[in-house]
């Protein structure tokens, strides 16, 4: 219509289909070059005049159904978040705020809530912790900085270490995948290395193990451990 300055055909039978007058929800638009007019036609009438396209109509119906489900899912998710006092997570999702690692994970969790209608209790708890970290980031970082300043320097050598597991991650190496952990020791410094066999390392748990520690060249309050052996607390 923009290209040729065409107009819609004026004849009508009362419905949305300008061919039979039926109230069709999905319509195809055809251009009549001689009259420079456009006409809206339902699927059955399009077939009757030999210009039907079942695939296009099916695709349109599928897209509308998907959008309807998405809108319903968004409303459901918004209500669930409100019930748990997590309106800030919805605001983060709506603002597409996924530029930080915590924000990215929170955004993905809300996306999953919309898509799958629910989250497990474990994932709900994780989302609550994430939003608490995001909303109190400055205070948390200030506290960590103060704790780090008071921490002892990382020692060097073979020793027994006791500390709290801050995080774990799977790391791929030349010998396959291994589980790594970051531990905050009783002295306040942190060490990173492979979880020893027989040690149940979970975030927040207390771990005791013997290892060879090497301080970091870039951070005196951090080090790396190797050859770990699990010890009884």
């Amino acid at each position: 219509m923009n290209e040729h300055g065409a107009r819609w055909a004026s004849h009508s039978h009362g419905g949305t289909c300008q061919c039979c007058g039926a109230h069709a929800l999905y319509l195809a638009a055809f251009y009549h070059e001689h009259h420079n007019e456009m006409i809206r036609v339902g699927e059955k009438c399009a077939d009757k005049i030999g210009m039907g396209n079942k695939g296009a109509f099916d695709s349109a119906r599928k897209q509308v159904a998907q959008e309807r489900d998405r809108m319903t899912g968004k409303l459901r998710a918004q209500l669930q978040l409100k019930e748990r006092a997590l309106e800030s997570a919805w605001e983060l999702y709506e603002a597409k705020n996924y530029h930080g690692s915590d924000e990215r994970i929170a955004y993905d969790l809300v996306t999953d809530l919309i898509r799958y209608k629910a989250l497990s209790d474990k994932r709900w708890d994780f989302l609550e912790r994430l939003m608490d970290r995001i909303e109190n980031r400055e205070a948390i970082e200030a506290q960590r900085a103060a704790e780090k300043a008071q921490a002892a320097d990382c020692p060097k050598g073979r020793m027994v270490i006791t500390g709290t597991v801050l995080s774990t991650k799977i790391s791929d190496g030349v010998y396959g995948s291994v589980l790594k952990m970051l531990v905050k020791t009783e002295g306040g410094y942190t060490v990173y290395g492979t979880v020893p066999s027989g040690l149940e390392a979970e975030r927040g748990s207390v771990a005791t193990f013997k290892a060879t520690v090497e301080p970091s060249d870039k951070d005196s309050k951090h080090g790396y451990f190797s050859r770990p052996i699990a010890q009884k607390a």
Side-chain angles (χ1 to χ4, degrees), residues 149-208:
Q150 296 175 3
D153 288 340
C154 180
K156 180 178 181 178
R158 189 76 178 169
M159 65 192 71
V160 175
I161 299 169
T162 297
T164 302
V165 178
L166 299 180
S167 64
T168 61
K169 66 176 290 187
I170 299 293
S171 179
D172 295 324
V174 293
Y175 300 108
S177 297
V178 293
L179 181 63
K180 302 277 189 176
M181 65 178 178
L182 177 65
V183 177
K184 183 178 180 181
T185 68
E186 293 177 331
Y189 59 89
T190 57
V191 289
Y192 180 79
T194 301
V195 176
S197 176
L199 180 66
E200 295 293 331
E202 295 183 357
R203 182 177 179 181
S205 64
V206 176
T208 299

Side-chain angles (χ1 to χ4, degrees), residues 69-98 103 105-115 119 124 127-128 130-131 134-135:
D69 289 343
R70 189 181 71 85
M71 292 176 67
T72 302
K74 289 181 71 173
L75 179 59
R76 182 191 303 112
Q78 190 175 7
L79 292 173
Q80 287 178 285
L81 290 166
K82 185 176 182 180
E83 288 175 355
R84 293 175 178 263
L86 286 170
E87 291 94 334
S88 56
W90 181 255
E91 293 171 2
L92 181 149
Y93 173 81
E94 286 282 85
K96 293 182 170 56
N97 179 12
Y98 41 73
E103 285 83 354
I105 298 171
Y107 181 89
D108 289 343
L109 284 171
V110 176
T111 301
D112 286 347
L113 178 60
I114 294 170
R115 183 179 303 166
L119 294 177
W124 273 118
L127 180 57
E128 289 177 359
L130 280 173
M131 296 312 301
I134 292 170
E135 293 166 13

